[in-house]
Amino acid sequence: MAEPVSLRSRMAPLVGEALEALQGSTIESVTERSEPFRVPASRYIDPDFADAEMQAVWPRAWQVACSVDHVARPGDFFEYTVGRLSVLIVRGQDGELRAFQNACLHRGNELCNGSGSGLTELRCRFHRWSWTLEGQLREVPSRRGFGVIRSEDYELPAVAVDTWGRLVWVNLDADAMPLDDYLDEMPAEVAWADLDDFRCTALLTTEMQCNWKTLIDGFSETYHVQGIHPEMLPMVDDVNSPQAVWQHVGRLRQPYGVPSPRLRDPSAQLQWDAFVAVMGGRMGLSDPTESGAPPDVPDGSTLRDVLAERIRRHSAAVKGVSLDRFSTEQLMTLLQYNVFPNVTILVFGDLLQVVKARPGDRPDRCYMDIVVFERAEPGARASTPATVQLAKGEADLGLVLNQDVDNIEKAQRGLYQPGFTHLSLSGEECRIANLHRNLDRYLASWDGTAD
Ligand code: FES
Ligand SMILES: [Fe+2]
């Protein structure tokens, strides 16, 4: 029988220098590999490893809590939970966004749950201590019974909060680096897309029977398109898709409206039908059985140009939103960012979608959050997003996401087989390798003492 492996050795750097060298890579260099990145399967199934993540990663990494639309007005609040941690995000009467650890300073009861609006104070239900939305102690019933309580000693513990890309980010670490630095090159690279103009329409949450990393790994590579999304092959170049890896962020740039080189000369009809089936809604074609004949492509244009123009026309006619400033490239190339630890952000000029994975109460459970946005004209009023809990199997997330979800439990169960000890990653899966490189960094810099 094999020797038990200590937690410390399981957390040892995986392939050390190779992973360290990953940062600053482009796909050209990471594909030239002499051997796979090998990641221990235990990282996805071991309760001790999940506990280590719970202490070393989640209280120290920037995370997307909600959209700006969830907390746009004074008195709006949103409770963000990750494992045992709970953070309250509150818009104060002064218009400032603040975040607090969700614990009453009397005996620790959670102060507030869920999300909503119209809050005028944070009042604990247990014995009714209350705080202002700015975190100042306001009232202690029967205060004299405690002796002296100095209000300045009882301010709610603040959590770092910032916004970027119409998203609210929080970090429980008092020494956290600024969000701007954490996000590496992403804000500058995608500044052209004016992400602040999007408005959130819905936050969908569903529980999944897999590790949070199994889920987010599926949004960190497109090597699996040929496997579980073969319908996409006539409309996406899944091979010539440059990637970059910075510190916390990795990025894919993937052309849509062109066929995969894995196919041999797909017909114009096949390319058109595939685009309509996968994302016809962007052009107002939601029924793939009625795609019709492929559009004419004028001389000097490409199918991408024609698709981009249809997307512009649909947006202007139906949504009243002009996309004229966006080029074919900006409308027809997917930018997919992966932000450590658990967020992926998908951007086309007309589209923003965020998917995140939060750990569940055991290593093979997690929550998938999908944050859905619609582009609006600059300066549009904040929206009121729907918050929806979807039961397992109830979620119809569209062709491609449904296929991802359908495979996910199989991807997790195989990890438990005793003969499967390591995942082997190619350079094409460098954003998954970067997740593990960052896990190593966070685990190595955590001293193991709760503070
Ligand atoms: S625990 Fe909140 S008032 Fe007692
Ligand atoms: Fe997928």
Side-chain angles (χ1 to χ4, degrees):
M1 198 165 144
E3 286 280 298
V5 184
S6 75
L7 180 60
R8 182 56 61 188
S9 70
R10 280 199 301 272
M11 293 194 299
L14 304 174
V15 281
E17 289 172 10
L19 274 173
E20 216 31 68
L22 194 60
Q23 189 183 327
S25 300
T26 61
I27 190 67
E28 286 78 21
S29 57
V30 292
T31 46
E32 291 161 13
R33 301 201 49 70
S34 57
E35 59 182 21
F37 297 110
R38 282 168 56 80
V39 179
S42 59
R43 292 188 162 211
Y44 290 76
I45 60 177
D46 183 341
D48 289 345
F49 194 81
D51 278 351
E53 289 175 341
M54 203 62 239
Q55 298 186 61
V57 176
W58 300 105
R60 299 165 70 208
W62 280 100
Q63 290 149 73
V64 170
C66 59
S67 76
V68 172
D69 296 289
H70 285 98
V71 284
R73 303 162 193 85
D76 286 355
F77 66 98
F78 187 96
E79 179 196 16
Y80 171 68
T81 60
V82 57
R84 296 180 292 263
L85 302 170
S86 173
V87 175
L88 277 180
I89 299 126
V90 180
R91 178 78 65 180
Q93 301 299 349
D94 58 0
E96 284 295 308
L97 201 55
R98 295 179 180 83
F100 306 106
Q101 296 181 30
N102 190 6
C104 170
L105 296 181
H106 173 220
R107 276 170 44 204
N109 197 46
E110 285 184 333
L111 274 174
C112 195
N113 297 111
S115 60
S117 55
L119 212 60
T120 55
E121 62 177 356
L122 290 162
R123 184 175 288 274
C124 178
R125 284 189 177 169
F126 205 172
H127 313 93
R128 298 188 58 76
W129 285 34
S130 87
W131 283 263
T132 67
L133 301 188
E134 291 73 43
Q136 309 296 318
L137 185 65
R138 181 180 198 168
E139 188 188 343
V140 176
S142 306
R143 188 167 184 154
R144 270 181 294 176
F146 290 91
V148 176
I149 286 199
R150 289 158 25 109
S151 293
E152 55 270 36
D153 293 339
Y154 284 83
E155 289 177 14
L156 291 178
V159 172
V161 61
D162 203 348
T163 62
W164 178 81
R166 206 59 188 173
L167 298 166
V168 176
W169 304 70
V170 294
N171 193 324
L172 282 142
D173 183 354
D175 299 320
M177 67 164 68
L179 178 65
D180 257 11
D181 296 343
Y182 191 93
L183 296 180
D184 295 325
E185 304 296 315
M186 175 171 68
E189 192 181 88
V190 77
W192 62 267
D194 301 330
L195 297 184
D196 287 344
D197 291 346
F198 281 87
R199 295 292 175 267
C200 180
T201 56
L203 169 59
L204 314 175
T205 297
T206 188
E207 188 174 10
M208 308 285 289
Q209 298 192 9
C210 65
N211 187 263
W212 67 273
K213 296 187 292 298
T214 309
L215 177 60
I216 210 66
D217 287 357
F219 293 90
S220 306
E221 48 88 5
T222 51
Y223 181 40
H224 71 266
V225 165
Q226 44 161 346
I228 63 174
H229 310 305
E231 298 85 349
M232 293 182 73
L233 290 176
M235 53 77 75
V236 67
D237 186 341
D238 58 331
V239 174
N240 301 298
S241 306
Q243 299 188 58
V245 172
W246 298 295
Q247 172 93 288
H248 292 99
V249 183
R251 184 263 291 141
L252 167 81
R253 190 190 289 276
Q254 188 153 69
Y256 277 53
V258 286
S260 167
R262 297 183 200 277
L263 299 182
R264 225 178 272 159
D265 292 330
S267 67
Q269 183 76 55
L270 204 59
Q271 294 181 50
W272 167 245
D273 287 349
F275 192 82
V276 172
V278 173
M279 40 183 55
R282 295 173 65 197
M283 306 181 294
L285 295 174
S286 45
D287 184 352
T289 63
E290 294 188 359
S291 60
D296 289 333
V297 177
D299 285 347
S301 288
T302 63
L303 177 60
R304 276 160 65 83
D305 293 325
V306 174
L307 295 170
E309 186 52 26
R310 290 231 176 165
I311 291 169
R312 285 187 205 100
R313 285 212 312 257
H314 173 66
S315 179
V318 176
K319 302 178 188 170
V321 175
S322 171
L323 300 174
D324 289 349
R325 65 192 184 283
F326 298 125
S327 66
T328 293
E329 173 69 13
Q330 290 169 335
L331 288 168
M332 295 302 299
T333 297
L334 169 69
L335 287 174
Q336 181 181 40
Y337 294 97
N338 292 88
V339 184
F340 177 80
N342 66 334
V343 180
T344 188
I345 300 171
L346 301 126
V347 179
F348 291 96
D350 61 317
L351 189 152
L352 167 66
Q353 191 168 83
V354 175
V355 178
K356 55 202 182 82
R358 288 176 293 131
D361 58 4
R362 43 189 266 198
D364 59 353
R365 293 288 186 277
C366 72
Y367 297 97
M368 175 168 70
D369 299 319
I370 304 176
V371 199
V372 185
F373 292 88
E374 287 273 354
R375 183 178 279 288
E377 284 294 341
R381 292 164 56 134
S383 59
T384 307
T387 300
V388 184
Q389 302 281 337
L390 294 167
K392 184 173 177 291
E394 188 189 309
D396 180 1
L397 304 168
L399 174 71
V400 174
L401 265 179
N402 285 345
Q403 290 169 330
D404 288 317
V405 168
D406 285 348
N407 191 63
I408 208 88
E409 291 172 20
K410 298 185 190 75
Q412 181 70 26
R413 285 200 301 269
L415 298 167
Y416 283 91
Q417 307 316 310
F420 183 83
T421 60
H422 289 76
L423 293 75
S424 294
L425 304 176
S426 75
E428 201 170 337
E429 294 163 303
C430 59
R431 286 173 288 148
I432 301 177
N434 197 43
L435 166 61
H436 287 280
R437 185 181 68 82
N438 275 304
L439 278 177
D440 279 346
R441 291 199 311 120
Y442 276 69
L443 292 165
S445 64
W446 167 61
D447 63 10
T449 57
D451 46 26

